[in-house]
Amino acid sequence: MNDYEVEKTGRMLAAILRHGKFSLPMNEQGFVDMRDIVDAIRGTNDRYKWLRPYHVEALALTDPKGRYQIRGRSVRATYGHTIKLDLGLPTVGIPEFLYYPVSAEEADIIVETGILPTDRAMVHLSATYENAFDAGEVRVEGPVILTINAVECAASGHVISKASPTVYLCDMVPAEFISVAEDEGED
């Protein structure tokens, strides 16, 4: 695949697995048969008649952010969903602190009110200050990074799960577990 095809096919894969595009059969953990994905993409654009399940598998296995998981002949996104799923992700080995980027205007409000999912089904937390900063820069210049006391948040009943090496998911983060990070990696 050339760079354009990788980009375009990757975007379609994300739309299918994260947002339910084409309403393909998906189990409760978000897995979709790669043949169904190929048939759906090929059916929407004659330029993709060459697409095969091994192309989808290669995209999933080489994704630099670890966004996908393969099980047998099926694939799923591990985070970024706008649809509710029971992903069954691991909840052990969660770091003591996680991080969340916000704009300067949002920082005080979120520290007072907590973090709720907005455009996604779950709150996405970052493993490191640097990961959060990079994620935040996609939306705002110079994001403010919040520190989340993940141990106390989880102990209060808000399950935190590991979606990728750098991304963790939680249903919401109450205000009492949030502070503004002083500087890189420290709270």
Side-chain angles (χ1 to χ4, degrees):
M1 289 191 286
N2 65 37
D3 289 345
Y4 173 81
E5 292 166 338
V6 168
E7 174 73 19
K8 188 79 169 166
T9 307
R11 287 186 183 277
M12 285 191 273
L13 183 61
I16 291 167
L17 299 176
R18 290 176 162 180
H19 313 300
K21 184 173 179 136
F22 303 128
S23 300
L24 298 179
M26 179 182 290
N27 75 11
E28 68 269 357
Q29 292 184 328
F31 284 98
V32 176
D33 189 292
M34 285 186 258
R35 289 171 297 207
D36 291 342
I37 294 169
V38 167
D39 290 345
I41 294 172
R42 289 171 64 181
T44 63
N45 190 331
D46 286 339
R47 294 177 57 191
Y48 286 91
K49 295 297 180 193
W50 53 266
L51 189 66
R52 301 290 182 268
Y54 65 83
H55 293 111
V56 173
E57 183 176 7
L59 281 171
L61 291 173
T62 59
D63 181 72
K65 295 183 179 180
R67 290 177 273 215
Y68 303 104
Q69 180 184 11
I70 295 173
R71 183 179 293 160
R73 294 176 184 230
S74 296
V75 62
R76 74 171 177 182
T78 55
Y79 63 91
H81 299 90
T82 56
I83 53 178
K84 284 277 191 188
L85 296 167
D86 178 13
L87 296 172
L89 296 169
T91 58
V92 296
I94 305 300
E96 183 177 1
F97 297 102
L98 293 169
Y99 303 89
Y100 187 78
V102 295
S103 68
E105 297 79 22
E106 298 171 312
D108 290 338
I109 295 166
I110 290 177
V111 167
E112 288 181 25
T113 62
I115 306 169
L116 296 170
T118 53
D119 60 342
R120 297 178 178 170
M122 302 287 283
V123 173
H124 289 54
L125 304 171
S126 296
T128 67
Y129 180 101
E130 294 81 11
N131 296 144
F133 191 87
D134 292 344
E137 284 244 300
V138 172
R139 294 179 187 236
V140 297
E141 187 176 331
V144 173
I145 306 304
L146 304 178
T147 300
I148 312 305
N149 187 321
V151 171
E152 290 182 11
C153 184
S156 76
H158 297 279
V159 176
I160 297 175
S161 56
K162 184 175 185 176
S164 81
T166 62
V167 178
Y168 293 80
L169 304 177
C170 188
D171 64 336
M172 60 102 48
V173 180
E176 62 263 29
F177 308 119
I178 304 170
S179 62
V180 176
E182 299 286 326
D183 52 44
E184 289 193 4
E186 295 180 23
D187 57 323

